[in-house]
Amino acid sequence: MKRQRLDNVTFEITHEKDRVDLMQPVTKSFSIIVDEQGVIESITPTSSMDKTDFNGNIRDMKGLLATPTLKDMHNHLDKTYMTLGWRGTIPVGNLKERLAAEANELPLLAASTKDRSSKMIDSMMRRGVNHIRTHVNIDPYIGLKNLEGVLEAVDKYRDLMTFEIIAFPQHGLLRDGMNELMKEAMRSGATMVGGLDPGGIDNAVEKSLYEVMNLATEFDADVDIHLHDRGHLGTYTYSTWLDLVEENNYQGRTAISHGFSLGDVTEPEQDELITRIVENDMSIMSTIPYGQKKAFPPIDKIRAAGGSVYLGCDGFFDSWSSYVSSDLLEKINNFCQLTGKITETEIAKTIDLGTRGRQVYNEEQTPWLKIGEKANIVFTESTSTAELIARLPQKRTLLLNGHWVEPIIIS
């Protein structure tokens, strides 16, 4: 890779009110130098950049807006039907029926996991994602076959992206043989331990969560638990897991995905749990299931308390849903619509839901990109981050670890 200089790159610096009191983005133009290892060497205002005698490739970005790359923090690379053509989703009455329907097709889909996962990764990458946290089925129907296929798929993208791969007991952790299968998965390339509804699926909250923590501590691995259970069963699961986090000094190493029950209970109960979630640095991973506003955990409230909430596309075009695109910005857009965010600053401040906490603005009013980090940037014709989220431009030019990924329109 040659050194690169990117001229006329636009960064948002701050907001200010215009003459009719509307907040508008304030932008400045910079030149960026990227070294041979894809690392940011310098960020200089265009007006003061010495553009003579540069040894490397020069690219005029023509004022394109630079925003951070996206991190999809909840996905299922092994479940998609992509590459197999269209097929609708079978209707079911509840989660257990959905799992039963999925179990019937797992052996049929396992042989194509590598190709299906690769298509899914490519689709997300071209929309600006450079990190994927994926849950991968580990179950008695197919053993480690899905894990093997996903590992093969992600290997092709290691130069451009990073991955967290969760051993996920989709059909229950306490079934016969699952303990050894999960251990084998962790030894075979999974990097995190997963769990699923210790009450609703495993029918044993404490026993299931103890098993999750035992696996995590044995392999020194982080944890991400699916929690769909509603009401007090769900909040009891939250509380029991937080007890284990505290007992095992696992602060900062765990997440709850979905966690709908936090939105079901009284405000005092919410406040108590949110305080513990923040104290234990436990993240909440949401997918913003469109049309189910009542199902959400109180995302804004968690964020206001200093908690971490991140988004993912979940599965798409699979046995769970015929919908959902591979566009993580669309998830942020959905969240803004469903929670009534309409102003320039309200919309812009939600970008960190898709960047694993990285904001575009800072108190120093300097570019969000920093010298010494890898060159990971999304370039669009948007005038601001708020417009990017609201209008979802499909033409996105990407710089991933210093490598260019040119825009194509994803269908």
Side-chain angles (χ1 to χ4, degrees), residues 229-240 261-262 265 269 273:
D229 287 337
R230 306 304 301 257
H232 287 97
L233 174 58
T235 54
Y236 176 74
T237 305
Y238 266 107
S239 186
T240 305
S261 60
L262 199 56
V265 294
E269 291 173 291
L273 270 179

Side-chain angles (χ1 to χ4, degrees), residues 236-285:
Y236 176 74
T237 305
Y238 266 107
S239 186
T240 305
W241 178 247
L242 286 163
D243 290 343
L244 286 173
V245 168
E246 291 165 357
E247 290 168 14
N248 289 273
N249 297 315
Y250 239 62
Q251 289 82 1
R253 303 195 63 180
T254 77
I256 294 291
S257 284
H258 303 305
F260 301 140
S261 60
L262 199 56
D264 294 338
V265 294
T266 65
E267 289 218 9
E269 291 173 291
Q270 274 186 8
D271 293 343
E272 182 180 346
L273 270 179
I274 289 172
T275 296
R276 293 189 70 195
I277 287 167
V278 174
E279 288 175 349
N280 286 283
D281 194 14
M282 185 174 81
S283 302
I284 303 298
M285 307 300 181

Side-chain angles (χ1 to χ4, degrees), residues 217-354:
T217 53
E218 179 176 346
F219 290 94
D220 191 23
D222 290 359
V223 175
D224 192 330
I225 300 171
H226 277 59
L227 181 56
H228 306 94
D229 287 337
R230 306 304 301 257
H232 287 97
L233 174 58
T235 54
Y236 176 74
T237 305
Y238 266 107
S239 186
T240 305
W241 178 247
L242 286 163
D243 290 343
L244 286 173
V245 168
E246 291 165 357
E247 290 168 14
N248 289 273
N249 297 315
Y250 239 62
Q251 289 82 1
R253 303 195 63 180
T254 77
I256 294 291
S257 284
H258 303 305
F260 301 140
S261 60
L262 199 56
D264 294 338
V265 294
T266 65
E267 289 218 9
E269 291 173 291
Q270 274 186 8
D271 293 343
E272 182 180 346
L273 270 179
I274 289 172
T275 296
R276 293 189 70 195
I277 287 167
V278 174
E279 288 175 349
N280 286 283
D281 194 14
M282 185 174 81
S283 302
I284 303 298
M285 307 300 181
S286 182
T287 62
I288 313 297
Y290 205 79
Q292 299 184 49
K293 185 175 180 180
K294 67 182 180 61
F296 295 165
I299 290 173
D300 282 327
K301 191 173 183 179
I302 297 167
R303 283 158 57 84
S308 299
V309 182
Y310 307 125
L311 302 185
C313 289
D314 208 345
F316 48 86
F317 310 136
D318 59 18
S319 66
W320 292 70
S321 175
S322 301
Y323 301 101
V324 184
S325 76
S326 54
D327 193 354
L328 188 57
L329 285 176
E330 187 176 284
K331 288 290 187 180
I332 303 175
N333 178 296
N334 290 346
F335 173 72
C336 288
Q337 291 192 59
L338 290 168
T339 54
K341 292 174 176 54
I342 58 174
T343 69
E344 183 79 25
T345 51
E346 284 176 334
I347 298 171
K349 286 179 180 178
T350 63
I351 188 66
D352 64 322
L353 289 168

Side-chain angles (χ1 to χ4, degrees), residues 5-226:
R5 193 182 79 208
L6 316 182
D7 291 336
N8 302 311
V9 176
T10 298
F11 285 91
E12 290 173 88
I13 301 301
T14 187
H15 286 113
E16 64 181 22
K17 288 184 179 180
D18 64 15
R19 59 188 178 185
V20 293
D21 276 348
L22 284 176
M23 278 293 190
Q24 301 290 354
V26 176
T27 60
K28 291 184 181 179
S29 180
F30 290 82
S31 288
I32 301 169
I33 294 179
V34 182
D35 72 15
E36 294 88 344
Q37 284 73 48
V39 173
I40 302 298
E41 184 178 305
S42 68
I43 306 170
T44 308
T46 299
S47 58
S48 58
M49 182 70 186
D50 180 3
K51 296 183 179 179
T52 60
D53 299 326
F54 179 73
N55 183 22
N57 295 329
I58 300 174
R59 182 163 179 153
D60 184 357
M61 300 310 296
K62 300 179 180 179
L64 291 179
L65 180 70
T67 51
T69 47
L70 304 170
K71 322 293 181 186
D72 190 301
M73 296 302 292
H74 185 102
N75 212 283
H76 295 267
L77 290 176
D78 57 332
K79 294 186 185 295
T80 189
Y81 290 152
M82 293 179 84
T83 74
L84 301 181
W86 166 254
R87 57 180 77 185
T89 300
I90 298 170
V92 297
N94 54 49
L95 178 60
K96 288 186 177 180
E97 289 182 12
R98 174 62 63 209
L99 293 176
E102 180 189 84
N104 289 332
E105 66 180 14
L106 281 170
L108 302 176
L109 295 175
S112 61
T113 300
K114 176 185 174 181
D115 291 341
R116 291 183 293 105
S117 299
S118 296
K119 185 71 172 178
M120 203 170 180
I121 293 168
D122 192 74
S123 179
M124 286 189 285
M125 178 190 72
R126 292 185 181 278
R127 285 184 159 122
V129 169
N130 79 323
H131 177 83
I132 298 172
R133 174 179 288 193
T134 181
H135 302 256
V136 179
N137 269 36
I138 307 298
D139 58 61
Y141 305 103
I142 56 170
L144 304 188
K145 288 183 180 178
N146 275 9
L147 177 62
E148 293 162 1
V150 167
L151 288 171
E152 286 187 72
V154 303
D155 274 347
K156 297 188 298 182
Y157 295 88
R158 294 285 190 187
D159 289 342
L160 302 174
M161 305 174 67
T162 53
F163 299 87
E164 294 170 294
I165 299 173
I166 301 172
F168 179 47
Q170 174 76 85
H171 298 272
L173 180 60
L174 301 182
R175 301 177 63 148
D176 289 346
M178 277 302 299
N179 181 269
E180 188 50 46
L181 268 178
M182 289 287 286
K183 290 182 178 182
E184 189 177 349
M186 296 304 296
R187 290 190 288 262
S188 299
T191 60
M192 294 180 64
V193 174
L196 171 68
D197 291 335
I201 297 301
D202 279 335
N203 298 312
V205 172
E206 290 85 355
K207 186 176 180 181
S208 180
L209 291 177
Y210 292 158
E211 190 57 46
V212 170
M213 185 58 81
N214 287 339
L215 286 164
T217 53
E218 179 176 346
F219 290 94
D220 191 23
D222 290 359
V223 175
D224 192 330
I225 300 171
H226 277 59

